[in-house]
């Protein structure tokens, strides 16, 4: 795939312009977006991402187009999972709804910058060290296990990381509109608004550890990795307000993502064996008999897993609701599910940082 420096500059400039427009058109004036507004802009950004993928396939060939779509689907699914952590962070810091847009916007921009750095490092490693595929593959398998089975019970607002931040920085106890800092008694204090942004930015950094190796398991093209991540993050703010209630019903999303990460981890290990240069494995020769998983199969597997996890989650929550309704009718005690009973103890690799 031929990507000139000019194409890179144009892509980065357009991405920046989109976020600048988002800030001045929607975020600058604090308000809680309506469902209609969130739906319109979510559809716009998803449509734009799909149109870009068609353009990649038309111009550069459908092998690269397939890699982009597989990468975009994976990053979008991981981004939706990130939204659940954002929901926990927002609740932990009791962010007023009309200020949540600003927190999300800044957090998403931080995420894109951090992922850009990870993408550059990953591209350099892959270009010079083929053995890095073994590391990425093993990392994804570990992360898949943690995604499915790890647990967390701590409140992010009271976690160790934020406790350390409070020790270093003077913090006020209350919000001052959407200000990040405020003067009190002649001294500059940071507000809970800035604390929330710091928490979300740190969560974004941790999530990049699984999202970047995951997409590099689907493509070696840094341009596809960047654009898939950029489009996955665009519209994430609107998606937060659009599916905030639905997030609690996606009880099997964590398991679905674990399956996807494990699949890509295996794909990476297979690829590492196929291009092997490590002297202690097959005398440093590639294992050409190891199969390479084609991109079309990856795309179908990822899309199918997301669909199955979503449908199974909605069926499960519907059945649970019907069961609760029947128990209530018959006068039996009703066990009310908590707001995060979608296996919250097993769906966050990033949330472990708050322990």
């Amino acid at each position: 795939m031929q990507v000139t420096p000019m194409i890179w500059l144009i892509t980065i400039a357009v991405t920046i312009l989109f976020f600048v427009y988002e800030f001045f058109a929607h975020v600058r004036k604090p308000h809680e977006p309506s469902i209609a507004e969130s739906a319109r802009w979510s559809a716009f950004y998803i449509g734009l991402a799909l149109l870009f993928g068609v353009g990649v396939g038309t111009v550069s060939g459908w092998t690269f187009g397939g890699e982009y779509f597989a990468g975009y689907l994976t990053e979008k699914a991981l981004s939706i999972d990130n939204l659940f952590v954002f929901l926990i962070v927002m609740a932990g810091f009791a962010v007023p709804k009309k200020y949540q847009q600003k927190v999300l916007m800044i957090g998403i921009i931080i995420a894109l910058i951090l992922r850009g750095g990870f993408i550059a490092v990953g591209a350099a490693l892959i270009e010079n060290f083929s053995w890095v595929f073994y590391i990425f593959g093993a990392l994804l398998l570990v992360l898949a296990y943690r995604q499915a089975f790890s647990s967390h019970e701590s409140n992010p607002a009271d976690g160790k990381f934020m406790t350390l931040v409070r020790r270093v920085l003077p913090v006020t106890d209350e919000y001052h509109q959407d200000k990040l800092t405020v003067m009190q008694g002649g001294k500059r204090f940071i507000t809970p608004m800035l604390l929330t942004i710091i928490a979300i930015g740190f969560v974004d950094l941790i999530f990049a550890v699984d999202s970047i190796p995951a997409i590099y398991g689907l493509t070696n093209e840094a341009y596809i990795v960047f654009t898939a991540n950029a489009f996955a993050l665009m519209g994430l703010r609107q998606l937060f307000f659009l599916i905030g209630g639905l997030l609690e019903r996606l009880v099997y999303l964590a398991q679905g993502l674990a399956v996807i990460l494990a699949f890509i981890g295996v794909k990476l290990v297979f690829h590492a064996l196929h291009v092997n240069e490590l002297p202690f494995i097959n005398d440093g020769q590639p294992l050409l008999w190891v199969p390479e998983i084609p991109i079309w199969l990856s795309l179908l597997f990822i899309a199918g897993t997301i669909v199955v996890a979503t449908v199974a989650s909605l069926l499960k929550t519907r059945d649970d609701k019907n069961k609760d309704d029947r128990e209530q009718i018959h006068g039996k005690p009703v066990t009310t599910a908590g707001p995060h009973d979608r296996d919250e103890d097993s769906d966050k690799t990033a949330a472990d940082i708050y322990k």
Side-chain angles (χ1 to χ4, degrees), residues 84-343:
F84 190 79
V85 179
F86 292 170
L87 193 65
I88 297 173
V89 171
M90 295 285 193
F93 285 99
V95 181
K97 286 192 174 183
K98 65 179 181 178
Y99 301 140
Q100 289 181 0
Q101 282 203 100
K102 186 172 183 178
V103 174
L104 287 169
M105 186 69 184
I106 297 175
I108 289 168
I109 292 173
I110 293 172
L112 186 59
I113 294 172
L114 292 174
R115 292 187 188 193
F118 272 75
I119 290 167
V121 172
L125 289 174
I126 289 171
E127 181 70 23
N128 296 285
F129 308 105
S130 63
W131 48 261
V132 77
F133 288 112
Y134 286 111
I135 297 177
F136 281 1
L139 176 63
L140 287 180
L141 291 173
V142 171
L143 291 172
Y145 177 84
R146 294 181 62 187
Q147 180 80 2
F149 300 110
S150 64
S151 63
H152 70 88
E153 297 178 354
S154 57
N155 185 330
D158 300 321
K160 292 181 179 179
F161 174 70
M162 296 314 299
T163 300
L164 176 62
V165 171
R166 286 188 177 95
R167 288 177 181 172
V168 175
L169 301 174
V171 184
T172 63
D173 294 327
E174 61 281 328
Y175 286 87
H176 295 264
Q177 299 179 343
D178 61 345
K179 294 179 180 178
L180 303 182
T181 64
V182 65
M183 291 292 294
Q184 290 185 345
K187 184 178 180 181
R188 178 71 62 178
F189 286 81
I190 70 171
T191 67
M193 188 80 167
L194 182 55
L195 271 186
T196 309
I197 291 171
I198 293 173
I200 286 182
F202 192 64
V203 167
D204 284 329
L205 174 62
I206 302 302
F207 269 113
V209 174
D210 57 10
S211 66
I212 299 306
I215 193 170
Y216 268 122
L218 300 168
T219 178
N220 293 338
E221 295 290 336
Y223 184 76
I224 292 178
V225 174
F226 175 79
T227 52
N229 269 277
F231 278 114
L233 290 173
M234 285 182 184
L236 195 61
R237 175 182 60 81
Q238 293 89 343
L239 203 60
F240 176 87
F241 294 98
L242 182 63
I243 67 172
L246 181 61
L247 285 174
E248 298 174 2
R249 299 180 61 190
L250 298 179
V251 294
Y252 293 129
L253 177 61
Q255 287 72 20
L257 289 174
V259 170
I260 291 173
L261 291 177
F263 172 81
I264 299 176
V266 170
K267 184 178 186 296
L268 273 170
V269 172
F270 281 4
H271 180 70
L273 292 170
H274 197 78
V275 298
N276 176 64
E277 293 178 349
L278 294 180
F280 53 85
I281 298 178
N282 196 38
D283 295 325
Q285 298 300 313
L287 283 77
L288 299 179
W289 55 268
V290 176
E292 287 269 32
I293 299 176
I295 193 62
W296 64 265
L297 179 58
S298 299
L299 182 56
L300 288 177
F301 184 89
I302 292 167
T305 302
I306 292 172
V307 170
V308 169
T310 302
V311 173
S313 295
L314 296 179
L315 290 175
K316 175 69 164 57
T317 51
R318 186 191 65 179
D319 290 343
D320 288 347
K321 183 178 183 302
N322 291 338
K323 182 180 178 181
D324 287 344
D325 290 343
R326 288 194 299 269
E327 290 179 349
Q328 191 171 19
I329 290 172
H330 290 86
K332 295 181 179 179
V334 178
T335 302
T336 303
H340 308 307
D341 279 358
R342 54 182 288 281
D343 276 348

